[in-house]
Amino acid sequence: MSADDNPLAASEFDTSAPRADEPAIAVVGIGADGWPGLNPRARAEIAAADVLFGSRRQLDLIPTEASSVPRHSWPAPLLPALPDLLAAHRGSRICVLASGDPMFYGIGVTLAKMLGPQAIRVLPQPSSATLACARLGWASAHTPVVSVVGRPLATILPELSDGRRMLVLSADEHTPARVAELLRHNGFGASRLTVLEQLGGPAERIVDGVAAQWTRAAGDPLNIVAVEAVRDPAAVRLTRLPGLPDGCYGGDGQLTKAEVRTLSVAALAPAPGELLWDIGGGSGTIAIEWCRTHIDCRAITFERSAARREQIAANAAALGVPGVEVRGEVPDALPNDTDPPPDAVFLGGGLTQDGLFAACWRRLRPGGRLVANAVTAESEALLVDWAATYGGELRRFQVYRAAPLGGFTAWRPQLPVTQWVVTRR
């Protein structure tokens, strides 16, 4: 994989769209087999180009007799420099080399978002994931793929469950050992790892082993890691569904308990790609479990205590969603009006703070959901008043947990929670 693995939206680039009379950028996928593995059309695109872009490894796969035009290897970081690089060659026939399938975590995705799909012409090769599934005999349609190129390794964690197979796109030759360490430290030491290097090329190599005993030296940087997950019997079972055990969270005990958390995240109804504002983060439970439901879910949590903010970040990393954004006290820390509006808002604290609800309601997008929980009489009275004005549903929950009482068992009540769920029309 290459440094272009984390594409930005087109609006984040300061570049104008190409003119209709400009030649489309050819984005050619190339495998580890290099020039011999390219079909005639891909070779023709490379041969006709005025300039070649790609990683140094990819450029070195093109023989000089096939193309003698200027070659530019990607700078690091790539994304900030990309608009100027392309602008400097505007009007030229540009060919961009990519690993395998350019639209699979590749530069093709970045260019399509940046310039529009009409500005590129993509010639894909099989992706590393496709080749890995072919070697392993795995069904590619049922094999999740997680990239750790430019992303924290912890993003693997939400995908782990006993008996599940997954592929990890490696950042470099050290990724397999880091994956093995992550598995050992998170109750999956018995998992089997298969490292597939230089897939499709003359130097292809496949090695495997068990995470708990992984001692293999670093191999080729161009590799993909296959994981057959086996959960240790004593490990806590964690899923993508809300309601993780309270003991999974570090902190001072300021958290939405598992039962109420389950009902709250369900009421928020996360969908892939949606953004949550979690007001009064505490230990970060709502934002974290929102993001665990899908890899594309995003969350900003607001917490005035600096110590709790640090704990939220630690909890998010430990539970595989390090992308949760942690901010300070509202309303000062709320995003600007020009920033994307939230798809959902959770008010778990600060209900009695003047103007807080109004600020969140104003920014909530039409069709967005707001869920507010109250445990005090004063907060509950506000929810009743708001429901009378804005509609929605009011609910009240009380959870009892069994606890020892002498030699017997008794039910211990937790504080009752009043919940308001409303959709902005």
Side-chain angles (χ1 to χ4, degrees):
M1 298 301 293
S2 60
D4 58 81
D5 184 49
N6 188 20
L8 296 179
S11 61
E12 294 174 285
F13 289 95
D14 183 16
T15 185
S16 58
R19 299 189 306 269
D21 59 344
E22 287 188 52
I25 296 174
V27 186
V28 176
I30 187 167
D33 49 357
W35 184 257
L38 294 176
N39 61 39
R41 185 182 174 194
R43 292 184 178 189
E45 290 285 1
I46 294 172
D50 297 322
V51 60
L52 292 179
F53 286 99
S55 69
R56 176 48 53 193
R57 179 188 65 81
Q58 293 158 353
L59 293 170
D60 289 344
L61 293 172
I62 307 302
T64 54
E65 58 268 23
S67 174
S68 59
V69 301
R71 304 180 180 201
H72 298 276
S73 59
W74 298 127
L78 167 61
L79 295 178
L82 190 54
D84 288 340
L85 285 175
L86 297 180
H89 295 276
R90 173 160 279 182
S92 301
R93 294 179 64 91
I94 297 174
C95 180
V96 171
L97 302 178
S99 293
D101 182 355
M103 304 307 291
F104 184 77
Y105 291 95
I107 187 68
V109 178
T110 302
L111 293 174
K113 289 185 176 182
M114 174 181 167
L115 303 173
Q118 76 286 345
I120 63 174
R121 183 171 57 255
V122 180
L123 286 76
Q125 289 270 67
S127 69
S128 58
T130 297
L131 292 172
C133 287
R135 300 292 187 272
L136 297 166
W138 291 5
S140 57
H142 299 285
T143 303
V145 181
V146 179
S147 174
V148 296
V149 181
R151 294 176 170 88
L153 193 71
T155 54
I156 296 171
L157 293 175
E159 294 289 348
L160 291 176
S161 61
D162 192 42
R164 195 175 196 203
R165 294 168 169 174
M166 62 184 293
L167 296 174
V168 179
L169 302 183
S170 292
D172 54 33
E173 67 273 23
H174 303 294
T175 299
R178 295 177 62 219
V179 170
E181 182 182 21
L182 183 78
L183 293 171
R184 288 196 302 270
H185 291 168
N186 286 275
F188 283 85
S191 301
R192 175 161 292 278
L193 302 185
T194 303
V195 181
L196 305 99
E197 301 174 349
Q198 290 283 339
L199 280 171
E204 180 175 313
R205 186 175 78 126
I206 300 176
V207 297
D208 62 12
V210 176
Q213 289 88 41
W214 191 267
T215 57
R216 294 187 180 275
D220 194 279
L222 189 65
N223 72 83
I224 186 169
V225 182
V227 178
E228 296 175 84
V230 179
R231 183 171 59 87
D232 301 340
V236 177
R237 183 173 180 268
L238 305 178
T239 75
R240 285 192 174 275
L241 296 178
L244 299 182
D246 294 342
C248 293
Y249 294 94
D252 58 6
Q254 184 69 25
L255 80 167
T256 304
K257 298 296 192 292
E259 298 87 352
V260 176
R261 190 187 325 135
T262 301
L263 296 168
S264 300
V265 177
L268 289 164
E274 289 191 326
L275 171 65
L276 168 72
W277 285 2
D278 175 18
I279 311 296
S283 299
T285 58
I286 297 292
I288 288 169
E289 297 194 19
W290 165 281
C291 288
R292 280 180 61 92
T293 62
H294 193 275
I295 193 171
D296 291 331
C297 283
R298 299 163 295 138
I300 304 174
T301 185
F302 303 87
E303 172 56 55
R304 63 182 177 182
S305 166
R308 287 178 182 165
R309 290 198 296 270
E310 291 180 6
Q311 187 62 62
I312 291 171
N315 287 337
L319 290 167
V321 286
V324 170
E325 184 179 345
V326 186
R327 295 195 178 192
E329 187 173 7
V330 291
D332 294 342
L334 290 177
N336 297 321
D337 287 350
T338 56
D339 292 329
D343 300 282
V345 173
F346 178 70
L347 294 177
L351 289 177
T352 59
Q353 184 175 341
D354 287 344
L356 176 59
F357 164 72
C360 293
W361 184 256
R362 180 178 61 84
R363 292 293 310 280
L364 183 65
R365 70 164 179 82
R369 292 88 58 202
L370 184 144
V371 175
N373 288 354
V375 295
T376 68
E378 291 80 4
S379 296
E380 183 179 279
L382 288 174
L383 298 190
V384 173
D385 288 343
W386 292 336
T389 302
Y390 299 96
E393 297 181 6
L394 285 169
R395 308 161 179 170
R396 202 162 198 244
F397 313 117
Q398 184 162 27
V399 175
Y400 291 76
R401 290 185 177 181
L405 181 64
F408 298 91
T409 301
W411 293 104
R412 301 286 189 189
Q414 298 182 34
L415 287 174
V417 176
T418 300
Q419 183 177 87
W420 179 42
V421 181
V422 63
T423 299
R424 186 181 178 197
R425 303 300 181 188

